[in-house]
Amino acid sequence: MIHIPVLRWGEPYKSMDVDKVVHFATGEPMVEVSRANGGLIERDMRHAKRARDVLREFPIAELIKMIKKAADFYVEAELPLGDGTQTPDQFVRMQSATTGLPEHMCRFNMKKNHFVLNQMDKMLDALTRGLDPDILSRGYGVEHRGVPVSYQAQSPVLGLVLPSNSPGVHTLWLPIIPMQVGLVLKPGPQEPWTPFRMAQAFYQAGIPKQAISIYPGLGDVGAAVLASCPRSLIFGGTATVEQYKGNPRVQAHGPGFSKIILGDDEVDNWEKYLYIMADSVFVNSGRGCINCSGIWASRHTREIAEALAERIGPVQPLPPDDPKSSLAAFTVAGQADAISADIDKDLQAAAVHDMTAKFGKRLVKKERCDYLRPTVILCDSPEPAISRKEFMFPFATVVQCPQDKMLEAIGPTLVCSAVTKDKKFQRALIDAMHIDRLNIGPIPTIQLNWLQPHEGSIVDFLFRARAFQFDKDMVNV
């Protein structure tokens, strides 16, 4: 059996504590993974400055070239995995076997990561708003308009406490290395594969091993990463986001509560937009924070809910290697049961209707995993609690609400696709502080522009702009 060690600044470390990773469908052990502990991370972080120092030995332009090479290694090469190796096909099977995502979705996420890596020069240009990369490297310089600027790195490394639900989140940390900031990764329990494979692809492309640490483990490991790194990202539920709200050291990414809004001027044409509703709810098995969990309209909500239910409600689970498989399995025991029970409890409220019940049971139990089939709930008003909930499977509420009450009622929203030509309503949407990403028009919530920041700029999080003046006889620019 392959053993995957802790990577301490690129050096393998086998701990006495290990976790066996098993295939969710067969129960077959796949690999064993060394488990780090909080004390190990606290000790290693004394050397975090070295990660940035070794990266600053390379110009950012050269690091970008390495990252582009790493893109091809990631999708094509047989790379080291612990004391063994892993082909791209093995990576896909392993990722599917632990996350529950169908294999074709895992391949799609590989392509998405490859695209981001391969376009890294454009990504950084967009994320830095056209800043000369050498200014980040030196810490100072002169903008194209002749203004002296200075950007100070707030941490030599970025800590990440990663989730297991969707491999797509890894695109958020791929630009970090070319900004000459090291990585401290705590993988999700069911998804250690991408961090380890990406690290090996980086190494093969010439990125110094001392720039990356990977610490598999339990909750204490994630807590140690957040406590030890001056800047960190964490992914979790609403409770996690609330815990770190206002903490300048931590950027917390939680549920998206993404929504589609049909304005009064377009709602009578709702059938034209059914396809974007279905795709926004269903693609990637509904696992992403950008998947739509709420469709809001002032009228026609029953017809919308019925049509959406007819479209996605009949879908049945298929084996993960079936190219037509569109539902991800729940590989953590009891998780699907708890979600389904939560929904059933909310269905007891007045004015709440399960529009997909007629297509069969929501919870499908297998020997070693469970599935939740697509669920569409109609709410006659925004009052029921379920109208503001999100779950990690194809789930959506269709909520009836007057247009002039919508923005007050929808709550925090990561992505809002508003189908309206009403200029006054568009202005209110643009001004709404609780909408993070706004689409005006029939644009699926899952359609991203990779040249735009996701939930805040990672550059602004990692670098502080400060006043800077210099005497040209003293400083070379």
Side-chain angles (χ1 to χ4, degrees):
M1 182 186 296
I2 293 176
H3 180 94
I4 303 177
V6 174
L7 287 181
R8 305 174 66 190
W9 307 123
E11 292 300 320
Y13 169 76
K14 290 187 177 183
S15 71
M16 296 181 64
D17 296 320
V18 298
D19 291 315
K20 281 189 170 58
V21 180
V22 301
H23 194 297
F24 80 85
T26 66
E28 175 189 358
M30 302 173 66
V31 299
E32 61 178 18
V33 183
S34 280
R35 187 193 302 164
N37 61 67
L40 184 70
I41 295 168
E42 291 172 7
R43 188 160 63 247
D44 287 355
M45 287 308 105
R46 299 170 188 168
H47 307 289
K49 184 177 180 295
R50 182 177 58 180
R52 180 157 165 79
D53 288 343
V54 297
L55 289 170
R56 292 175 85 180
E57 293 175 7
F58 300 88
I60 288 179
E62 188 173 340
L63 289 174
I64 290 173
K65 290 180 181 178
M66 294 179 188
I67 291 294
K68 291 188 174 189
K69 289 181 182 178
D72 293 335
F73 287 129
Y74 171 68
V75 298
E76 297 172 0
E78 181 172 347
L79 296 173
L81 179 66
D83 52 12
T85 62
Q86 183 191 63
T87 66
D89 284 343
Q90 288 171 330
F91 169 79
V92 165
R93 285 194 295 272
M94 288 176 168
Q95 189 178 72
S96 174
T98 56
T99 63
L101 279 173
E103 291 183 7
H104 68 90
M105 292 185 190
C106 296
R107 289 191 180 91
F108 173 76
N109 281 306
M110 282 190 83
K111 291 178 182 177
K112 186 162 56 175
N113 288 337
H114 178 274
F115 175 82
V116 171
L117 292 169
N118 198 45
Q119 302 292 318
M120 189 54 69
D121 51 343
K122 296 177 182 176
M123 301 292 172
L124 286 186
D125 182 67
L127 291 173
T128 62
R129 305 176 185 92
L131 192 71
D132 179 353
D134 289 338
I135 293 177
L136 285 186
S137 187
R138 283 195 309 265
Y140 64 89
V142 178
E143 287 186 324
H144 63 279
R145 52 196 179 129
V147 178
V149 293
S150 176
Y151 288 86
Q152 182 183 51
Q154 297 300 283
S155 174
V157 296
L158 177 68
L160 291 114
V161 182
L162 296 166
S164 295
N165 61 308
S166 176
V169 301
H170 298 297
T171 54
L172 294 182
W173 57 265
L174 297 183
I176 304 305
I177 288 290
M179 287 193 284
Q180 299 175 317
V181 174
L183 290 169
V184 176
L185 305 173
K186 191 274 180 188
Q190 284 78 51
E191 217 288 272
W193 314 110
T194 302
F196 279 102
R197 184 170 180 82
M198 196 66 73
Q200 293 297 335
F202 283 175
Y203 299 157
Q204 295 290 323
I207 300 295
K209 291 186 177 182
Q210 299 94 327
I212 302 171
S213 285
I214 306 178
Y215 297 100
L218 304 177
D220 66 312
V221 175
V225 168
L226 297 175
S228 303
C229 297
R231 289 290 185 273
S232 298
L233 267 61
I234 186 173
F235 299 80
T238 302
T240 299
V241 174
E242 290 298 318
Q243 181 180 352
Y244 293 101
K245 182 181 287 186
N247 186 336
R249 294 164 53 97
V250 180
Q251 193 179 87
H253 296 262
F257 304 112
S258 296
K259 299 175 183 74
I260 293 173
I261 290 176
L262 299 173
D264 283 350
D265 60 320
E266 286 292 328
V267 69
D268 293 337
N269 303 319
W270 65 267
E271 289 175 283
K272 287 171 48 179
Y273 309 119
L274 183 63
Y275 74 99
I276 75 156
M277 301 182 215
D279 283 355
S280 297
V281 172
F282 194 73
V283 167
N284 203 40
S285 195
R287 285 218 170 169
C289 56
I290 58 175
N291 281 104
C292 176
S293 59
I295 297 165
W296 290 60
S298 61
R299 56 186 182 272
H300 301 302
T301 49
R302 179 168 288 275
E303 296 100 309
I304 293 169
E306 287 176 343
L308 183 61
E310 290 283 345
R311 195 167 185 131
I312 66 176
V315 175
Q316 298 284 346
L318 294 172
D321 58 353
D322 189 319
K324 295 182 180 179
S325 179
S326 56
L327 294 180
F330 284 81
T331 60
V332 178
Q335 190 174 34
D337 298 81
I339 292 172
S340 192
D342 190 8
I343 294 171
D344 287 338
K345 180 180 177 182
D346 284 337
L347 285 170
Q348 304 306 308
V352 176
H353 319 278
D354 186 349
M355 309 303 287
T356 38
K358 63 183 179 181
F359 298 107
K361 291 183 178 179
R362 179 189 315 116
L363 178 61
V364 179
K365 299 194 68 69
K366 302 289 186 180
E367 183 181 359
R368 297 183 181 275
C369 66
D370 303 312
Y371 289 87
L372 289 173
R373 295 180 54 232
T375 298
V376 178
I377 306 296
L378 173 65
C379 297
D380 294 338
S381 79
E383 295 302 319
I386 199 169
S387 69
R388 293 175 297 279
K389 288 192 175 181
E390 172 180 296
F391 301 102
M392 50 182 279
F393 76 106
F395 168 91
T397 53
V398 180
V399 183
Q400 184 166 339
C401 179
Q403 179 177 293
D404 61 356
K405 302 292 184 183
M406 280 184 190
L407 292 183
E408 178 185 345
I410 61 172
T413 301
L414 174 58
V415 185
C416 176
S417 289
V419 184
T420 180
K421 298 175 185 175
D422 181 336
K423 297 298 183 184
K424 183 178 179 181
F425 193 32
Q426 287 179 0
R427 171 48 58 190
L429 287 156
I430 290 168
D431 290 343
M433 299 295 291
H434 54 301
I435 296 175
D436 197 85
R437 304 177 69 104
L438 177 63
N439 303 321
I440 294 181
I443 301 168
T445 62
I446 54 171
Q447 181 176 311
L448 296 181
N449 182 341
W450 293 108
L451 301 182
Q452 295 179 335
H454 180 80
E455 284 191 272
S457 170
I458 192 67
V459 177
D460 293 342
F461 182 59
L462 284 175
F463 292 87
R464 178 173 71 97
R466 60 180 180 178
F468 179 76
Q469 299 184 65
F470 63 92
D471 186 309
K472 62 183 180 180
D473 293 328
M474 296 284 181
V475 175
N476 293 320
V477 176

